[in-house]
Amino acid sequence: MKKFLALVLSLCLVLSLAACGGKPADDDTAEGSKTGGTVRVGLNSAPVSMNIWCQNDLNSATIMNLVCPNPVAMDDDGNKYDYLTESSEPNEDCTVWTIKLKELYWNDGTPVTSEDLLFTAKYGVEHHIGFFDSYYGLVDPDKSSCPDDRTVEFVLTSGNVNFWKGAGFWMPIMRESEWSSVEEPTTYSYSGAGYGPYYVSEWVDGEYVTLERNPYFTLANDGAGACIDEVVFRVYTDENAMVLALQNGEVDVCANFLSASSISQLQSNSNYQIESVGSLGYALLTFSQSNELLQDVNVRKALAASCDREALANVAMSGAATPMYTPISPIYGDFTASNIRQPEFDTDAAAAILENAGYVDTNGDGIRETADGKPLSFTITYKSTLTNVDGVMSILSSDFAKAGVELKLQPVDAATFSANVTQGHQYDISYSSWGTIDDVDTTLLTCFGIGQTLNFMEFNSQEQEDLLNAMQSETDYNKRVELLNQWQSWFVENLPCCHLFVPNNTYAADTTNFTGWHLSPGNSAFLACANFVNVHAK
């Protein structure tokens, strides 16, 4: 009887999956020696949560990129391409975008549909979560539609030349059947279901995360899917502990980029594959407008003039960075040809700006005060795990002091930084590093627009807003460059934040047991989905 019941249940499962449309990947299509195995990944800090739609944590995003990959990926040259979509076509004025999905299946065999994608846009904007307003805010939900199970026609309220490059690159697809009943998405515990090569089988906060292979993901290795059966992310207290774990054979790859000192420890071992890629982001200081003193542009200009970018790049970062003088990263040559620059490093000039603005050290303690006695003393909040952060803080503190400004250091973990800075907006100055600032001629609105999620300095300017919106809808490239130059001029006059340097990110993987490691620009390095599916056992 038990055998009969088991047979019936097995048959029901097969019929159920067949009805859903899912068909497991054929493992025989991949070379036998390349399939199976467990890759162990080191993280330098704990991921915040698997609900990546509602927060901006790099380690969480790296993990979930293998579970719910973004439909648009980036190639080795930094160009975006349709990864999980067959096509993405705009009309002439970029007000209508037609997106066609490839065949994707959740790890239980049910298909990912165009309804899921359209739901993603509608739900995210309706609940104002994460970056949805930034990327899907222009979508008209009443006019947008799904002509078939894999096609979405997004109708925008105004043209956006990089709409799908932005939305597809940053926003994973939400499963309508799971999210439609969720009333408060920011506190929701995601199930871990995946349409990518993996799904989450176990997530233990602060310790480890285990991913299992999605048998229904076929978009790799001639239909066989990912080669590796299991991926285990292990959490370490900092970079040193993570690198030691790599050297001891506890992990096979480090998810995070490494400092020059760590790289020097690894270079003598030929088993380590060490590669570098220029960051598409940059390190920066943000000035919170919740602090009355930082509302004064004279204070912001003085602080910007107290930043020695050469020392930060060459001393604190041991030469593994490029000083950033323009409001746009120097890797975008067309956009920085105008050479519109932030204030040059000059602590005497910074002191003079403050002196002329009425900030004087009246009690001789080295810290300038306002006319009513408030000291120019600011707390700088930053993640303690950032590469070479102690050296950065030492240089900034010393140079700020020369201008008469006190900088009080507040190192925190990733979760606290997110709660206090990016979400809570309760801080004075923050030091952080963007992983990727892409399509800058249209997507700066996500960082500086009024009410935008990444505008956690809350510097709201209608003049800036108008320039950023004009860039989004301008289909003529040269005219967008002109608008971008106008914005850069506005930026250096107002300085809502201060850009410091562009890191040269270096990563390490152990080739003893696994090969196929490949590095492309972006946040996930060796763990980028399109690359990692090709990693295999030796």
Side-chain angles (χ1 to χ4, degrees):
M1 181 65 181
K2 289 182 178 178
K3 290 183 179 179
F4 175 75
L5 180 59
L7 179 61
V8 171
L9 290 174
S10 298
L11 181 60
C12 288
L13 177 60
V14 170
L15 292 174
S16 173
L17 294 179
C20 291
K23 180 182 178 182
D26 184 358
D27 290 337
D28 293 335
T29 60
E31 296 179 34
S33 62
K34 292 185 177 182
T35 60
T38 299
V39 166
R40 302 155 301 170
V41 184
L43 297 171
N44 64 6
S45 63
V48 175
S49 86
M50 69 179 83
N51 184 357
I52 47 164
W53 295 270
C54 297
Q55 42 88 9
N56 185 36
D57 172 59
L58 180 57
N59 282 344
S60 302
T62 296
I63 295 171
M64 294 302 292
N65 175 252
L66 296 174
V67 177
C68 296
N70 299 318
V72 172
M74 185 172 287
D75 66 18
D76 291 356
D77 297 320
N79 300 312
K80 294 179 179 178
Y81 66 95
D82 283 314
Y83 174 45
L84 302 182
T85 44
E86 287 185 3
S87 60
S88 53
E89 299 293 337
N91 66 351
E92 186 175 355
D93 62 359
C94 298
T95 56
V96 179
W97 284 79
T98 302
I99 311 300
K100 187 173 183 62
L101 291 169
K102 293 180 178 178
E103 287 192 24
L104 298 168
Y105 299 92
W106 299 95
N107 56 279
D108 63 359
T110 59
V112 178
T113 69
S114 53
E115 292 290 349
D116 286 321
L117 179 55
L118 183 55
F119 168 81
T120 299
K122 292 179 177 179
Y123 181 89
V125 172
E126 179 184 340
H127 290 81
H128 302 291
I129 61 175
F131 311 121
F132 280 87
D133 287 335
S134 301
Y135 293 108
Y136 281 119
L138 292 178
V139 171
D140 187 327
D142 296 325
K143 295 181 180 179
S144 300
S145 62
C146 297
D148 59 53
D149 287 345
R150 289 197 287 128
T151 304
V152 180
E153 188 175 87
F154 286 111
V155 178
L156 312 185
T157 56
S158 62
N160 188 310
V161 296
N162 285 323
F163 164 71
W164 186 242
K165 279 186 177 181
F169 185 72
W170 287 108
M171 308 309 302
I173 299 170
M174 306 177 87
R175 192 176 191 176
E176 182 176 9
S177 61
E178 176 170 354
W179 285 92
S180 59
S181 61
V182 177
E183 296 182 359
E184 181 44 68
T186 59
T187 58
Y188 179 63
S189 296
Y190 183 59
S191 67
Y195 56 82
Y198 297 93
Y199 63 93
V200 179
S201 64
E202 193 173 11
W203 186 297
V204 180
D205 285 338
E207 297 184 30
Y208 65 89
V209 175
T210 301
L211 306 184
E212 298 291 343
R213 185 173 177 273
N214 176 4
Y216 300 96
F217 181 82
T218 61
L219 302 181
N221 298 305
D222 298 323
C227 297
I228 302 301
D229 281 342
E230 183 181 64
V231 187
V232 178
F233 291 84
R234 296 181 175 177
V235 178
Y236 294 90
T237 55
D238 54 30
E239 179 183 310
N240 292 331
M242 179 180 65
V243 171
L244 182 61
L246 182 70
Q247 293 174 307
N248 291 340
E250 296 174 16
V251 298
D252 303 295
V253 62
C254 294
N256 312 99
F257 64 83
L258 305 176
S259 65
S261 60
S262 292
I263 294 301
S264 66
Q265 298 175 41
L266 302 174
Q267 284 177 328
S268 61
N269 190 331
S270 60
N271 287 330
Y272 298 133
Q273 181 175 330
I274 300 173
E275 294 187 31
S276 299
V277 64
S279 173
L280 296 175
Y282 47 81
L284 74 161
L285 300 179
T286 65
F287 308 127
S288 174
Q289 294 306 288
S290 63
N291 185 306
E292 184 179 356
L293 294 175
L294 292 170
Q295 294 175 11
D296 185 350
V297 68
N298 294 298
V299 173
R300 299 196 301 275
K301 286 184 175 181
L303 297 183
S306 300
C307 295
D308 188 348
R309 295 172 180 81
E310 291 284 344
L312 291 172
N314 297 321
V315 179
M317 298 298 291
S318 302
T322 300
M324 184 173 170
Y325 298 103
T326 54
I328 304 298
S329 172
I331 67 170
Y332 298 111
D334 286 359
F335 301 151
T336 56
S338 57
N339 199 32
I340 299 169
R341 296 166 71 93
Q342 301 176 90
E344 301 291 338
F345 171 63
D346 188 336
T347 53
D348 289 338
I353 291 172
L354 294 174
E355 187 81 19
N356 293 334
Y359 300 98
V360 181
D361 177 14
T362 58
N363 58 13
D365 64 354
I367 304 173
R368 296 176 179 275
E369 305 105 27
T370 63
D372 57 358
K374 294 180 181 177
L376 291 185
S377 177
F378 305 104
T379 297
I380 183 167
T381 305
Y382 56 93
K383 297 178 187 177
S384 59
T385 55
L386 287 175
T387 300
N388 296 340
V389 70
D390 291 338
V392 170
M393 289 302 119
S394 176
I395 291 171
L396 289 176
S397 299
S398 175
D399 289 334
F400 278 34
K402 293 174 185 176
V405 178
E406 180 183 39
L407 202 57
K408 296 185 288 189
L409 308 186
Q410 186 180 59
V412 297
D413 59 27
T416 303
F417 185 88
S418 178
N420 292 355
V421 179
T422 61
Q423 294 183 4
H425 304 174
Q426 297 299 312
Y427 71 102
D428 294 337
I429 300 174
S430 81
Y431 168 75
S432 59
S433 183
W434 294 129
T436 300
I437 298 296
D438 56 322
D439 303 324
V440 292
D441 52 330
T442 58
T443 61
L444 284 174
L445 184 68
T446 66
C447 298
F448 298 104
I450 296 174
Q452 296 288 335
T453 302
L454 293 182
N455 183 4
F456 46 81
M457 70 282 292
E458 295 185 315
F459 193 103
N460 298 321
S461 161
Q462 191 59 51
E463 181 183 358
Q464 176 180 220
E465 185 87 357
D466 292 342
L467 283 170
L468 297 177
N469 278 316
M471 279 185 252
Q472 286 201 322
S473 58
E474 178 55 67
T475 57
D476 185 301
Y477 179 79
N478 291 326
K479 291 181 179 178
R480 285 206 307 278
V481 173
E482 292 176 7
L483 288 167
L484 190 61
N485 286 337
Q486 292 180 44
W487 174 82
Q488 291 188 83
S489 296
W490 177 92
F491 181 95
V492 298
E493 286 300 316
N494 292 275
L495 293 171
C497 57
C498 177
H499 302 156
L500 301 174
F501 56 84
V502 178
N504 184 27
N505 296 340
T506 303
Y507 301 86
D510 191 344
T511 62
T512 303
N513 300 312
F514 300 95
T515 189
W517 303 108
H518 185 78
L519 188 64
S520 297
N523 291 339
S524 299
F526 286 128
L527 281 299
C529 183
N531 294 335
F532 185 76
V533 290
N534 299 313
V535 173
H536 57 270
K538 281 188 169 181

